[in-house]
Amino acid sequence: AIRNLPDSPLFNRATQGRYAPGSTFKLVTLVAALESDLGYAPETRFDDTGTLPTEGPPIRNFDNKVFGDHDLTQALTNSVNTTFAR
């Protein structure tokens, strides 16, 4: 009977669910930026307006928050979508 429940309580969502990596991928992006020869450092400054235009839908920060002037450390701490998309 449990197998037939509509909310699938036996389905292991952590290992079998197909979820986008979301903010966990920001760590990979950050390490790649810091290890690159592009001059990124924890104190590299960014100016966030809350939205990053793209050819498709714009990239926005969670809750449409604007972070303004910040560095990479603050970007990771606050999970600033637009900074990591840049």
Side-chain angles (χ1 to χ4, degrees):
I2 290 176
R3 281 193 220 154
N4 297 324
L5 289 174
D7 63 345
S8 304
L10 298 179
F11 182 74
N12 187 338
R13 287 163 177 77
T15 60
Q16 296 174 296
R18 294 186 180 193
Y19 302 106
S23 292
T24 59
F25 203 76
K26 288 177 181 149
L27 293 171
V28 175
T29 305
L30 178 63
V31 170
L34 294 174
E35 290 184 350
S36 74
D37 293 328
L38 299 175
Y40 290 105
E43 60 276 357
T44 301
R45 308 297 302 175
F46 296 88
D47 186 25
D48 172 57
T49 61
T51 303
L52 178 65
T54 68
E55 291 181 15
I59 295 170
R60 299 185 196 294
N61 294 321
F62 178 74
D63 211 16
N64 292 315
K65 188 165 183 180
V66 176
F67 290 91
D69 182 54
H70 64 282
D71 62 23
L72 269 177
T73 301
Q74 293 165 319
L76 182 62
T77 301
N78 294 299
S79 193
V80 183
N81 294 336
T82 54
T83 299
F84 286 96
R86 280 193 177 95

